[in-house]
Amino acid sequence: MSDQPHKIPSLVGGFPTQADFAPSIIFAVAYGLSVIPFLIRFWNPNTRTYLLGIGTFAYAVERVVVWSIRAAQSHDHHLGETLSKGRLVYQQVSFALGFIGFGSDCVAFMRAAMVNTTLEDPKRGSIDKPRDRFWYRRAADIAGLLWLIASVPGAIGYSKMPGAAAHPEDADKLFRLRYVSSAAALFLFYFFFILLRYVRNRVEWLDRRAVDCTCAILSLASVVAIYRLSVIHNTTSVLNVLPSTPPLYPPGSLTTTASKATFYIFHALPELIIAWAIQCLNIRAIYNTGPWGDWQGTDDRGGIARLRQNGVYVDGVGVQGPVNWGPIGNWINKRREAKAAKSLETDRPTASARTGSQVELTETV
């Protein structure tokens, strides 16, 4: 049965050809540069975070390795060559599971923001709410585990990829499980997006900027999941052996110019934008937390003190001097201030309207 021809799930992004060399170099360099804002933020004690965003930092470093491997394979590409199956599998696993990690970071960010709404702060008028804090933390624990629904099927499916060319049953498992992984990721991105939009105006002392930033990350990550669901139905007849005679690449191999362009635009680029955004943002200011975030399950051992090391950053309450929100955060704040000023100007009565009111008041008197 293993000798019979069968269809193999196509590589997302297609075979690494010479056309991939320049884009791979660009993405490798871009990811390498993206860690610089994180290191600058980590060096500054006022913006340093030890746990929040560390996953994205590790992701960026890993992406440098992935794109470097792809650049090396595409540069040494020759027709009829047998590519390293291990390197191909590593790239596919990274592409399939890497973007799911952004969801875990979003859970950690919002956990810190939600827990901070339960802290007592006389300056802003909030009282201590230990019961709400307990349930916010339990909800965050469950939310963190939910991402396993997307990552575990993907990991199991791609473990079958090395034998997919020789064993139809492995190819079938890979085909089915990567659908489950991408569909589950898209569902979770939308689920948490809708949930955050719901609580945005309903939780007292919740900074809406934190919710908006998180929703933007979830929305951009969902683009990757949608792209994957739109292309993973494709199959090919080869896994790692480059053809030597026309047609150069089997139909559905996702190796055409158009297929590669959509891969870089809708898969690689959104991931890069998210990585840059998270590492540029002043996470401590936007998510109202300290350098450790909220990693403890209870209030024991100074958990609250760590959360409130520099006060609670809600509408300027408890801020020690001006707060630097980071390049992206400052841009968002400027847009909000401009919008608020425009709205205030629109609502303000005109001079003629004020004069008319004064005339009416005089006549009444």
Side-chain angles (χ1 to χ4, degrees):
M1 181 177 178
S2 61
D3 294 332
Q4 297 296 323
H6 63 277
K7 293 297 183 180
I8 305 169
S10 299
L11 302 173
V12 175
F15 290 100
T17 66
Q18 292 179 351
D20 291 290
F21 179 71
S24 298
I25 291 295
I26 292 173
F27 276 97
V29 173
Y31 273 108
L33 294 175
S34 74
V35 304
I36 296 178
F38 177 89
L39 295 176
I40 294 175
R41 180 162 54 80
F42 188 82
W43 182 264
N44 186 344
N46 294 322
T47 59
R48 180 182 302 156
T49 56
Y50 295 102
L51 298 178
L52 297 179
I54 194 66
T56 300
F57 172 78
Y59 166 87
V61 174
E62 189 268 346
R63 272 296 189 264
V64 175
V65 177
V66 170
W67 289 110
S68 298
I69 292 175
R70 191 172 181 85
Q73 283 193 311
S74 61
H75 184 265
D76 298 333
H77 163 266
H78 301 289
L79 294 179
E81 178 185 0
T82 300
L83 298 176
S84 169
K85 189 180 295 185
R87 293 182 180 181
L88 287 178
V89 172
Y90 173 64
Q91 293 176 55
Q92 291 300 301
V93 171
S94 180
F95 292 149
L97 304 182
F99 74 101
I100 299 175
F102 294 132
S104 298
D105 272 351
C106 287
V107 170
F109 296 159
M110 286 309 304
R111 171 173 175 153
M114 294 295 290
V115 167
N116 224 308
T117 65
T118 69
L119 303 181
E120 180 182 3
D121 187 356
K123 295 181 181 179
R124 67 179 182 186
S126 61
I127 61 174
D128 186 44
K129 300 178 181 178
R131 183 175 179 81
D132 289 351
R133 184 160 57 247
F134 172 84
W135 286 113
Y136 287 157
R137 285 169 169 166
R138 300 297 77 77
D141 292 338
I142 295 173
L145 293 175
L146 285 178
W147 293 104
L148 295 175
I149 299 175
S151 58
V152 170
I156 296 175
Y158 278 97
S159 70
K160 305 296 181 181
M161 185 177 173
H167 305 287
E169 60 275 14
D170 287 346
D172 182 66
K173 288 180 181 179
L174 171 59
F175 185 84
R176 295 175 183 274
L177 289 176
R178 68 177 186 172
Y179 256 117
V180 174
S181 176
S182 296
L186 181 60
F187 171 79
L188 290 173
F189 285 136
Y190 280 155
F191 172 77
F192 286 117
F193 177 89
I194 295 172
L195 181 63
L196 289 178
R197 299 309 297 180
Y198 176 80
V199 304
R200 181 177 183 270
N201 297 319
R202 290 173 171 82
V203 177
E204 190 178 17
W205 307 116
L206 177 61
D207 195 329
R208 296 175 183 177
R209 288 166 291 194
V211 177
D212 293 341
C213 287
T214 306
C215 286
I217 295 172
L218 294 172
S219 300
L220 202 52
S222 68
V223 173
V224 180
I226 293 172
Y227 165 79
R228 292 186 63 84
L229 287 172
S230 67
V231 301
I232 56 178
H233 67 276
N234 288 280
T235 58
T236 183
S237 57
V238 293
L239 177 63
N240 64 321
V241 180
L242 299 179
S244 57
T245 58
L248 293 182
Y249 295 99
S253 63
L254 301 177
T255 311
T256 64
T257 301
S259 296
K260 286 187 176 293
T262 55
F263 166 72
Y264 286 113
I265 294 173
F266 297 108
H267 197 307
L269 185 58
E271 293 178 324
L272 178 63
I273 294 174
I274 295 173
W276 266 93
I278 291 178
Q279 296 185 104
C280 285
L281 288 174
N282 186 344
I283 296 175
R284 282 178 59 176
I286 291 179
Y287 291 95
N288 311 330
T289 188
W292 290 94
D294 182 61
W295 58 275
Q296 293 177 311
T298 66
D299 295 340
D300 297 335
R301 298 183 180 179
I304 297 300
R306 290 192 175 196
L307 279 170
R308 306 190 62 194
Q309 180 173 342
N310 289 322
V312 182
Y313 296 92
V314 177
D315 296 332
V317 176
V319 178
Q320 302 295 330
V323 177
N324 180 16
W325 298 89
I328 297 179
N330 289 333
W331 178 79
I332 294 175
N333 280 337
K334 288 180 181 179
R335 284 183 61 88
R336 286 178 176 275
E337 292 172 359
K339 185 177 180 180
K342 185 177 180 181
S343 176
L344 183 62
E345 189 67 27
T346 303
D347 297 338
R348 183 179 299 169
T350 61
S352 59
R354 291 195 299 269
T355 303
S357 299
Q358 292 173 356
V359 171
E360 293 177 359
L361 180 60
T362 302
E363 293 177 351
T364 302
V365 175

